[in-house]
């Protein structure tokens, strides 16, 4: 029965026990037997190894005559979009808080998102079996923040299973049925332009894709929540934003493995095997639409062409957006001969992770490689580990950068003459930060006046791509909003760190008598390299951070180049604020002086902005003791030998090349 369906997800900070609680639920409901291999829903080897959830995982359970559909979500901010799509697929959420640590920054951000979606919040305290647990204090924090009576908070131990059955009973009592929630909030699941008649069209089935994965045997598998109607294997399904049409080869639900079934119905969560070859063809947030004969007639009656995706998009479920990488890094094979192997590995990774972007790039120091985009530094680190463990490729990742928008004075620049800059602006959706009109552009449909306004703009995702200062008119920099939760005694350290990274305080509030929530507006580039590590170090590991992208603002930025033996090394180039260029340039050449091994000739290291050198260090030459064979004798003989050596070093410096070991680029990632 549809009224017996309860859909919910578990949201919490990293390491608060989401996956462990999900495992106990699966065991108590007899969905799975007790497992010895760790978290059942964390299927990737890296998830088991690192103890974190990287990909969301659904599972269906049955409890006291009710069908439960659970989505176990990632806790890290890098995967926030997956969490938002999961929240839009359920009617309630379990807010899980560690009784030893209390509410953290990412807990708050996800909680606010769940409240915006109108979901029922069930607060649960975990790890009450630990000696360090403080359930009373943490319960008061939850009461103050969420407004729920602390007497209603359920205290559990996900590890031992204590009180987990009470959580299952509360889900039945508190969370609305999928059918009832949809009827009460129907307007949220249709575009504002949709008519009332459209919202009540019979014969039309709609489903939201909240995740998609690539299976080497099945192809792309779309994880869906059915909002209207029913989907069967015989249906022809339209993907509205991908503009694809598929006939499913299999339909089913998760238990938590794939269980084939004849159909999935309104209110249920399941999967549809699309047969597509890449997850880019079944995008997260897209709408699946099918209609029977009656539905087709009803659509035509409303002057909607069933073969036109532009018309069919009237049925789209709101909230779709492209997953946009925020962090860009050069990725090069440690061994040049592994380039083709790395290319194949990226092609396979993208099949399963639509958030990764990559393009060819060549560096004079590192050879052939790729410029790759990631959701954040954790996502980047996970990709590096997957390349190493799954594909056996040792790689070098250059210093991460954000993406900048640059307006050029010189319209004869090659990228502008070729028109590839506009292509990139449209493909990345960055044009929305340049033009004021709220329009959705596609490559085949750009009005001439908008094309002219976009013409001088280019996208820059590495220091080496930044044009000469004389060609630049304006640089727009991405900004983010961050929330830092930490003990009051470390307030000075947090404020100093944020100020050093060009942060602007937006406000602060007290969570409890000891912890403060601080909000800052800060450039994205300032937090993607080492900000989180410094925050943890400065606060003895107690502070936590959450961030979200705000938009682009004009900033006084420059390209900082590093020259080794008067030759610029593109992999070290970066975009920095003008006020920080000198101190950063000085620290880089000082660090390189210790890292680059000595050669047979002296090596000058320089940091420069344009043609102006702002910092310099010298690596002295390795010298043979040419005076060792001189036991006394005339001093002129010694001088002659030293002069001869000096001339040889000068000649060697003109002809010699500096070898920069690959591991230096890894060491330089940490500023």
């Amino acid at each position: 029965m549809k009224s017996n369906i309860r859909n919910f997800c578990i949201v919490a900070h990293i390491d608060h026990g989401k996956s462990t609680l999900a495992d106990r639920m699966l065991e108590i409901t007899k969905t799975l037997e007790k497992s010895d291999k760790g978290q059942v829903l964390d299927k990737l080897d890296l998830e088991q190894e690192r103890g974190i959830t990287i990909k969301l995982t659904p599972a269906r359970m049955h409890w006291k005559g009710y069908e439960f559909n659970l989505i176990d979500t990632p806790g890290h901010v890098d995967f926030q979009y997956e969490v938002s799509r999961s929240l839009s697929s359920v009617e309630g959420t379990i807010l899980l808080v560690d009784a030893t640590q209390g509410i953290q920054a990412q807990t708050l951000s996800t909680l606010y998102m769940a409240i915006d979606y109108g979901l029922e919040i069930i607060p649960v305290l975990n790890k009450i079996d630990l000696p360090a647990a403080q359930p009373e204090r943490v319960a008061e924090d939850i009461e103050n923040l969420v407004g729920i009576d602390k007497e209603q908070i359920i205290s559990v131990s996900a590890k031992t299973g204590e009180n987990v059955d009470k959580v299952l009973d509360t889900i039945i009592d508190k969370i609305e049925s999928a059918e009832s929630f949809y009827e009460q909030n129907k307007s949220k699941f249709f575009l504002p332009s949709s008519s009332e008649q459209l919202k009540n069209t019979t014969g039309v089935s709609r489903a939201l894709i909240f995740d998609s994965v690539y299976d080497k045997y099945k192809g792309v598998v779309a994880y869906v929540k059915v909002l209207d109607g029913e989907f069967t294997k015989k249906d022809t399904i339209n993907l509205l934003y991908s503009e694809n049409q598929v006939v499913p080869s299999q339909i089913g639900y998760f238990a938590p493995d794939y269980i084939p079934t004849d159909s999935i119905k309104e209110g249920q969560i399941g999967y549809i095997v699309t047969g597509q070859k890449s997850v880019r063809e079944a995008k997260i947030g897209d709408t699946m639409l099918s209609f029977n004969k009656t539905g087709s007639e009803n659509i035509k009656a409303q002057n909607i062409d069933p073969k036109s995706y532009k018309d069919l998009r009237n049925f789209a479920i709101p909230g779709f957006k492209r997953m946009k990488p925020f962090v860009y890094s050069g990725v090069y094979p440690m061994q040049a001969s592994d380039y083709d192997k790395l290319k194949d590995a990226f092609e396979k990774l993208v099949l399963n992770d639509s958030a990764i972007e990559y393009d060819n790039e060549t560096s004079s120091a590192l050879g052939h490689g790729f410029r790759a985009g990631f959701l954040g530094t954790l996502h980047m680190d996970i990709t590096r580990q997957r390349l190493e463990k799954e594909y056996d490729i040792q790689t070098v990742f250059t210093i991460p950068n954000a993406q900048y928008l640059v307006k050029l004075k010189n319209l004869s620049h090659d990228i502008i003459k070729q028109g590839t800059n506009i292509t990139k602006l449209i493909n990345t959706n960055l044009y929305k930060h340049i033009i004021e009109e709220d329009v959705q552009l596609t490559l085949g449909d750009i009005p001439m006046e908008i094309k002219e306004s976009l013409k001088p703009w280019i996208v820059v995702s590495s220091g080496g791509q930044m044009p000469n200062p004389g060609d630049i008119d304006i640089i727009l920099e991405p900004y983010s909003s961050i929330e830092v939760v930490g003990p009051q005694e470390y307030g000075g350290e947090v404020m100093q760190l944020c100020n050093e990274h060009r942060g602007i305080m937006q406000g602060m509030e007290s969570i409890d008598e000891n912890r403060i929530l601080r909000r800052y507006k800060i450039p994205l580039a300032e937090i993607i390299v080492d900000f989180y590590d410094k925050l943890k170090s400065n606060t003895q590991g107690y502070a936590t951070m959450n961030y979200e992208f705000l938009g682009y603002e004009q900033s006084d930025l420059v390209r900082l180049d590093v020259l080794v033996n008067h030759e610029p090394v593109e992999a070290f180039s970066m975009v920095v604020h003008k006020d920080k260029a000198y101190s950063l340039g000085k620290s880089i050449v000082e660090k390189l002086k210790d890292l680059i091994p000595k050669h047979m000739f002296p090596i000058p290291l320089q940091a420069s902005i344009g043609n102006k050198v702002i910092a310099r260090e010298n690596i002295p030459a390795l010298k043979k003791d040419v005076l060792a064979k001189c036991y006394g004798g005339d001093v002129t003989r010694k001088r002659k030998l030293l002069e001869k050596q000096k001339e040889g070093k000068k000649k060697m410096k003109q002809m010699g090349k500096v070898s920069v070991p690959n591991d230096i680029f890894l060491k330089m990632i940490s500023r």
Side-chain angles (χ1 to χ4, degrees), residues 324 402-408 425 430-436 453-454 456-461 466-467 472-479 502 523-525 549 551-558 575 577:
K324 182 188 178 311
Q403 258 190 342
Y404 302 91
L405 291 170
V406 180
K407 186 179 183 182
L408 297 179
L425 286 166
L430 289 175
Y431 70 88
K432 292 182 177 180
H433 302 284
I434 298 170
I435 60 174
E436 294 180 1
S453 63
L454 294 177
W457 291 88
I458 65 170
V459 179
V460 171
S461 52
M466 186 65 75
I472 296 172
D473 184 11
I474 295 171
I475 301 178
L476 299 183
E477 179 178 24
Y479 271 76
R502 296 193 283 138
L524 186 64
F549 175 70
Y552 278 78
E553 293 184 16
Q554 189 172 337
S555 201
D556 193 3
L557 304 173
V558 293
V575 181
H577 194 268

Side-chain angles (χ1 to χ4, degrees), residues 66 83 296 314 363 415 461 565 585 640 642:
Y66 287 81
V83 176
S296 180
N314 288 302
S363 164
I415 194 171
S461 52
N565 199 26
K640 187 178 177 182
L642 290 171

Side-chain angles (χ1 to χ4, degrees), residues 186-187 190 192-201 302:
K186 206 165 191 177
S187 59
F190 282 90
S193 57
S194 301
S195 65
E196 285 302 316
Q197 189 179 352
L198 198 72
K199 293 175 186 176
N200 296 298
T201 303
Q302 296 182 61

